[in-house]
Amino acid sequence: MRAYPYRFHVALDGNGLNGLEGLAGVCQFLFDPADNAYAWKIAYFDGIAGGHAISLNPGGSLGFLGNTGQHLLIYDGTDSRELARQSTLSYESTDTSLRGSTHAVWLSEHEFITAIGDHFYRFDARRLAEGVKLGPHGVKLPHALKRSASGRYLVYGSMDHPRLGEAREVGIYDLQTGEARRVELPATCWHVAADPARDLFYALSFRVLPQEGRDWHEWAMAFLKEYAFEIDAASGRVLRHWAAGREVPAHINSDVVLSDGELIFCNGASQSIVMIERERLAGWRMIDERPDLATVLGQRKAVGTQIADALSRGNVLHETRHFLSALRISRWAVLDSVYACQLSADQSLLFTANRGLNHITVYDYPANTLRLRVAMPALQDFVPVSPGGDPRLGFHHGALAG
């Protein structure tokens, strides 16, 4: 069997608009830049829901499929075969079905940390039933989780909570003292990226509004300005921040990665990959993946699902502004877009997965020129649902081995 230098792992949640309520699977996209050869492996897991994010152990031999279905799931990093699963409800109950172990940080080849309920837990992937409680995380609904450069701090975003409301916070957990710090911010931040050399991190705003003024479960996208915060992990102090007017296509971000010179994040609603220069945290550029009209018309099944799901989330008569905002945020594309972006270790290749158009793209970085684009197979090839319906696999967060 041919060996490929890169394995791009992407979490899958099916073809619905709200991936937090969808299926759970993994796509592995294998790539060799020497001749642009590629292959893929796709697997969905029965009895697991809300596939969301991938975390790989240092060797890439094990993957953690984070999800909103209150499970831990470990899979083989080579063939996506399920190795172990564990209900998190045996550790702590949850006050909302959106609270799940969506992200994890690996400490070694077998040990990782993730959030369950109100606390962080440490696990050995070989013994998921023997997790160890570390301490409270201190935020409303913990989300993306990274480890700082020194290894001392966990840094993490927080989602708006269906009962407790808007988050407007990030968290910092000191692994030496077991103490958590909550950092208040002007806007909710789901996703973070940690600097590889210093104990600082970046948090990206994720701005939504509650349906009917109260429903933070079936939230609506907010057509508001967006932020990127640079935060010192030791002190919890915001060092610098970037703010973008609402016209900048930087809404509903997902993966956040760093190059030596840029903060890179993909935006599932705005059809873009935005890159902010880190030296001044001011200038920015982007890769535009907004589809043209012909492409949108060619995706009738996906567009139909998107519209039906949007209408089912809110009352179009009472909440017209949310639907108009969504159209403006997506730049009238009526499709979601890039949810996974990962940069190779040598910073020469940028891997992306476009949820709305169901394709994977490899760009040459930093030139941002298109090297390869692959249309992926239909969901119905793997899961017996919606025969002849929306074919999208449901790309969400990614991770890159190689």
Side-chain angles (χ1 to χ4, degrees):
M1 178 180 288
R2 175 170 181 161
Y4 292 86
Y6 295 101
R7 285 179 176 266
F8 182 35
H9 297 239
V10 187
L12 304 175
D13 58 47
N15 57 19
L17 176 63
N18 184 359
L20 300 176
E21 303 291 348
L23 303 171
V26 175
C27 170
Q28 291 195 42
F29 184 81
L30 287 62
F31 180 67
D32 189 341
D35 58 357
N36 285 353
Y38 65 88
W40 46 261
K41 168 71 176 178
I42 293 169
Y44 288 88
F45 303 101
D46 290 337
I48 303 284
H52 190 77
I54 303 294
S55 302
L56 298 174
N57 71 348
S61 61
L62 297 177
F64 172 92
L65 175 58
N67 60 83
T68 60
Q70 294 78 52
H71 279 102
L72 307 177
L73 188 135
I74 304 296
Y75 69 92
D76 189 291
T78 301
D79 61 12
S80 298
R81 174 172 47 92
E82 180 182 329
L83 298 177
R85 72 169 69 188
Q86 171 70 38
S87 170
T88 63
L89 297 178
S90 63
Y91 289 96
E92 287 191 30
S93 60
T94 179
D95 56 0
T96 168
S97 65
L98 293 184
R99 189 190 289 274
S101 302
T102 54
H103 296 72
V105 164
W106 288 86
L107 305 176
S108 67
E109 292 300 314
H110 293 100
E111 286 191 310
F112 65 91
I113 294 174
T114 190
I116 299 175
D118 292 327
H119 298 86
F120 284 122
Y121 287 77
R122 185 177 69 248
F123 289 93
D124 187 310
R126 297 164 296 189
R127 295 181 292 275
L128 294 182
E130 301 174 16
V132 177
K133 182 187 291 187
L134 299 181
H137 50 68
V139 297
K140 290 183 175 67
L141 211 168
H143 199 62
L145 176 65
K146 303 292 182 182
R147 195 178 184 189
S148 71
S150 69
R152 176 170 178 172
Y153 303 102
L154 299 179
V155 297
Y156 43 100
S158 176
M159 295 170 59
D160 302 316
H161 190 284
R163 182 171 54 82
L164 302 176
E166 191 175 7
R168 291 184 289 106
E169 64 189 359
V170 293
I172 302 168
Y173 183 84
D174 189 326
L175 287 169
Q176 288 187 13
T177 66
E179 296 179 349
R181 179 197 299 266
R182 177 179 176 270
V183 181
E184 293 187 4
L185 296 169
T188 291
C189 296
W190 287 24
H191 303 123
V192 300
D195 187 283
R198 299 171 292 169
D199 276 351
L200 62 83
F201 66 102
Y202 296 88
L204 280 293
S205 65
F206 194 101
R207 309 201 68 184
V208 302
L209 294 171
Q211 298 279 3
E212 304 288 345
R214 54 179 170 74
D215 186 356
W216 289 99
H217 190 118
E218 296 282 18
W219 46 262
M221 298 186 295
F223 189 43
L224 301 171
K225 61 182 177 290
E226 298 287 355
Y227 294 88
F229 303 98
E230 183 182 76
I231 304 171
D232 177 67
S235 66
R237 186 167 63 94
V238 175
L239 304 178
R240 302 181 297 168
H241 79 277
W242 177 85
R246 65 181 188 173
E247 296 81 9
V248 175
H251 299 279
I252 310 299
N253 59 77
S254 186
D255 276 351
V256 188
V257 297
L258 296 172
S259 70
D260 291 338
E262 293 181 309
L263 170 65
I264 304 168
F265 56 99
C266 54
N267 301 285
S270 293
Q271 323 278 329
S272 67
I273 302 104
V274 170
M275 302 169 180
I276 306 170
E277 52 91 7
R278 295 176 63 190
E279 182 177 0
R280 296 187 307 119
L281 210 65
W284 61 278
R285 61 187 181 132
M286 75 172 186
I287 298 174
D288 194 347
E289 288 207 8
R290 178 179 177 271
D292 58 23
L293 179 60
T295 301
V296 172
L297 293 176
Q299 303 289 326
R300 289 186 298 274
K301 294 177 181 178
V303 169
T305 298
Q306 197 94 348
I307 293 173
D309 282 357
L311 292 174
S312 71
R313 287 173 71 93
N315 188 319
V316 69
L317 298 178
H318 295 170
E319 303 288 347
T320 306
R321 65 188 183 117
H322 292 327
F323 293 90
L324 293 177
S325 292
L327 287 172
R328 293 196 66 183
I329 287 169
S330 70
R331 296 183 286 159
W332 309 96
V334 202
L335 275 176
D336 44 15
S337 184
V338 187
Y339 275 77
C341 68
Q342 293 291 316
L343 189 65
S344 62
D346 65 0
Q347 300 185 21
S348 67
L349 298 171
L350 182 67
F351 292 76
T352 71
N354 190 307
R355 179 188 183 90
L357 298 177
N358 205 44
H359 64 223
I360 287 177
T361 302
V362 182
Y363 292 97
D364 287 311
Y365 181 84
N368 294 346
T369 52
L370 192 150
R371 173 186 280 258
L372 176 72
R373 175 163 290 163
V374 178
M376 297 301 286
L379 169 70
Q380 289 77 13
D381 293 347
F382 309 96
V383 181
V385 297
S386 307
D390 184 350
R392 294 175 298 165
L393 298 170
F395 294 127
H396 221 110
H397 289 287
L400 184 63

